[in-house]
Amino acid sequence: MTTHASIEKVKPFDVAEARKDFPVLFQKVYPGSKGGKLLIYFDNAATSQKPQVVIDALVDYYSTYNANIHRGVHYLSQKASQAFDEVREKVRAFINAESEKEIIFTKGTTESINLVASSYGRKYIGAGDEIVITAMEHHSNIVPWQLLCEEKQAVLKVIPMNDSGELLMSEFEKLLSPKTKFISVVHTSNSLGTINPVKEIIRAAHQHGIPVLVDGAQAVAHEVIDVQELDCDFFVFSGHKMFGPTGTGCLYGKQALLEAMPPYQGGGEMIQSVSFEKTTYNALPYKFEAGTPNVADVIAFGTAIDYLGALDRERVSKYELGLMQYASDQLEKINGVKLIGTAKKKAGIVSFVIDGVNALDAGMYLDTRGVAVRTGHHCTEPVMKRFNIPGTLRASFMFYNTKEEIDVLIDGVRKAISLLEKK
Ligand SMILES: Cc1ncc(COP(=O)(O)O)c(C=O)c1O
């Protein structure tokens, strides 16, 4: 029996109850120092914590049916293969893709983007062609395109943003031309929290016949995604940001595009037949999945999808936005604190700087109080450059966080200012 069977079908949302699912939250950090501090985890945009059912799914796999999949005739291999294959259907349903053939398992968002840039990009992008991204991309949605542009003498174009961290859509329209061959945009910015109008971007792009990739890394855990409704050509995300294990993720691609794309990596599983004279490739999705896949983690990723699916997504999402709003309001009351990223449409991410206090020093101080925030450029150096700052402090929320935890953050920020401010 797989552990996800124990998840109730409809789970009423209750923070105290929800927190019980995440054992890591009930610990004290730095236990050696005066008994330690209760962990307050506000680094959810980097990676989410894992519910016990996901941890159990990993233990269950390794303790009872660890085996390589698809080519084994024995019991364990059949059981592992079935559990693995079931996850593809779960992912398909989770993002409402049309077919399982459109779901490629990857290590995560980064690998998914590299796959598209290498495979689609090498085939379809040529000298002088233009690829459009936004000013708020994670490095993983910049560098793969730069590598491609370097190789093909193509040009990278960037949709600018305003001081609130919102894309300038009129500038976007101006960037589109017959030279534009691909658009790759982040759904929700990890450093600003901005939720971009991806549907509008896709609609405009398609009027010019341009395919669009959506980086959904920060979106999938927080809002319901329907790739058919979005009509995106590619959608990418990571399992570890949505309660699954690290090393899991997905590339969704429209079937016709994936069919036309050459393989990304060569090896076992992705072939139909190999000879020294000629090798033929496997059908979708296996054509893009060379080698032994990450069996255990993908199975537990399936459990994470079950877990998410059992939540009242709308209520959870509203609750997370409430946390973001509360944190923003409290931070804005503190003299010297400035929010970076004040878009009208935002996710549960709050980035801020403090006058006269280095973000890293403040982050380290907060850590001594048990508050885990992230500091720095958050893999979005161009965003920092745009706002003319070296980095921010970032608190990113998940439904297992509480207002009381935010109060500890706010108190910590006030204390950090009184201790660290350079007059
Ligand atoms: C918006 C965005 N895109 C891409 C990534 C890269 O994800 P991964 O490191 O899981 O591949 C991240 C990670 O923080 C992200 O926030």
Side-chain angles (χ1 to χ4, degrees), residues 2-19:
T2 45
T3 43
H4 60 252
S6 60
I7 297 173
E8 305 150 46
K9 203 76 207 115
V10 181
K11 191 171 199 167
F13 179 63
D14 169 338
V15 193
E17 268 308 299
R19 284 179 69 83

Side-chain angles (χ1 to χ4, degrees), residues 259 263 268-273 280-288:
E259 296 279 12
E269 188 81 351
M270 54 75 71
I271 54 87
Q272 191 177 53
S273 148
T280 53
Y281 306 126
N282 207 340
L284 287 176
Y286 311 108
K287 182 173 86 172
F288 291 108

Side-chain angles (χ1 to χ4, degrees), residues 29-30 37 354 357-376 392-393 409 412 416 419-420:
V29 294
Y30 301 116
K37 295 278 178 199
I354 310 171
V357 179
N358 177 287
L360 179 62
D361 292 343
M364 284 167 68
Y365 174 72
L366 289 169
D367 179 51
T368 65
R369 299 168 69 95
V371 183
V373 294
R374 184 146 292 238
T375 63
T392 71
L393 285 134
L409 166 75
L419 283 170
L420 302 170

Side-chain angles (χ1 to χ4, degrees), residues 7-11 90 93-94 220-221 224 242-243 301-314 316 399:
I7 297 173
E8 305 150 46
K9 203 76 207 115
V10 181
K11 191 171 199 167
K90 286 181 189 179
F94 179 64
V220 278
V224 174
M242 47 174 281
F243 315 112
F301 178 33
T303 308
I305 291 173
D306 291 337
Y307 182 84
L308 251 172
L311 294 169
D312 181 339
R313 302 284 307 271
E314 209 173 306
V316 162
F399 61 79

Side-chain angles (χ1 to χ4, degrees), residues 223-273:
E223 65 177 271
V224 174
I225 297 294
D226 182 331
V227 291
Q228 293 190 68
E229 214 244 324
L230 276 176
D231 197 25
C232 53
D233 301 278
F234 299 99
F235 188 91
V236 299
F237 58 102
S238 301
H240 70 96
K241 293 186 196 287
M242 47 174 281
F243 315 112
T246 48
T248 57
C250 170
L251 161 66
Y252 156 81
K254 283 185 179 162
Q255 190 174 338
L257 290 171
L258 292 174
E259 296 279 12
M261 284 160 54
Y264 170 53
Q265 291 182 329
E269 188 81 351
M270 54 75 71
I271 54 87
Q272 191 177 53
S273 148

Side-chain angles (χ1 to χ4, degrees), residues 5-286:
S6 60
I7 297 173
E8 305 150 46
K9 203 76 207 115
V10 181
K11 191 171 199 167
F13 179 63
D14 169 338
V15 193
E17 268 308 299
R19 284 179 69 83
K20 289 186 195 154
D21 294 337
F22 296 83
V24 79
L25 299 177
F26 294 89
Q27 68 171 297
K28 288 194 169 172
V29 294
Y30 301 116
S33 153
K34 292 184 197 153
K37 295 278 178 199
L38 195 62
L39 172 70
I40 295 179
Y41 186 77
F42 285 151
D43 199 15
N44 295 290
T47 197
S48 71
Q49 293 300 345
K50 317 303 170 202
Q52 188 64 49
V53 280
V54 168
I55 301 165
D56 288 348
L58 284 171
V59 174
D60 187 31
Y61 169 79
Y62 281 124
S63 1
T64 66
Y65 63 107
N66 170 49
N68 210 330
I69 57 167
H70 290 161
R71 284 167 298 279
V73 288
H74 58 84
Y75 178 80
L76 287 194
S77 178
Q78 286 180 42
K79 188 170 170 183
S81 301
Q82 191 187 337
F84 180 89
D85 292 340
E86 278 171 13
V87 180
R88 208 182 299 275
E89 167 53 24
K90 286 181 189 179
V91 178
R92 185 210 64 72
F94 179 64
I95 57 170
N96 193 32
E98 205 174 315
S99 157
E100 281 184 38
K101 291 178 185 165
E102 299 175 318
I103 305 298
I104 316 292
F105 288 126
T106 65
K107 280 193 299 191
T109 308
T110 304
E111 191 182 40
S112 301
I113 298 172
N114 276 280
L115 193 165
V116 176
S118 296
S119 171
Y120 182 95
R122 286 221 181 96
K123 182 164 178 184
Y124 293 108
I125 307 293
D129 286 346
E130 293 178 356
I131 297 163
V132 172
I133 60 172
T134 80
M136 62 182 90
E137 298 306 330
H138 187 278
H139 294 165
S140 61
N141 201 21
I142 302 174
V143 186
W145 303 114
Q146 286 176 323
L147 290 169
L148 179 67
C149 287
E150 225 169 273
E151 187 182 319
K152 296 286 187 174
Q153 276 83 53
V155 182
L156 196 63
K157 295 273 176 179
V158 180
I159 313 170
M161 60 181 159
N162 64 20
D163 292 342
S164 301
E166 291 163 328
L167 292 179
L168 297 174
M169 292 301 284
S170 52
E171 296 299 313
F172 164 61
E173 302 272 343
K174 285 186 215 156
L175 285 178
L176 299 181
S177 82
K179 285 191 199 159
T180 317
K181 292 289 152 54
F182 201 84
I183 298 176
S184 195
V185 293
V186 66
H187 183 295
T188 302
S189 158
N190 64 309
S191 52
L192 300 169
T194 311
I195 299 176
N196 286 314
V198 282
K199 206 170 167 189
E200 207 182 307
I201 292 173
I202 293 162
R203 205 182 310 119
H206 285 176
Q207 278 166 6
H208 297 259
I210 307 161
V212 181
L213 180 149
V214 176
D215 170 357
Q218 293 296 340
V220 278
H222 306 284
E223 65 177 271
V224 174
I225 297 294
D226 182 331
V227 291
Q228 293 190 68
E229 214 244 324
L230 276 176
D231 197 25
C232 53
D233 301 278
F234 299 99
F235 188 91
V236 299
F237 58 102
S238 301
H240 70 96
K241 293 186 196 287
M242 47 174 281
F243 315 112
T246 48
T248 57
C250 170
L251 161 66
Y252 156 81
K254 283 185 179 162
Q255 190 174 338
L257 290 171
L258 292 174
E259 296 279 12
M261 284 160 54
Y264 170 53
Q265 291 182 329
E269 188 81 351
M270 54 75 71
I271 54 87
Q272 191 177 53
S273 148
V274 176
S275 74
F276 291 120
E277 291 71 38
K278 184 167 173 58
T279 289
T280 53
Y281 306 126
N282 207 340
L284 287 176
Y286 311 108

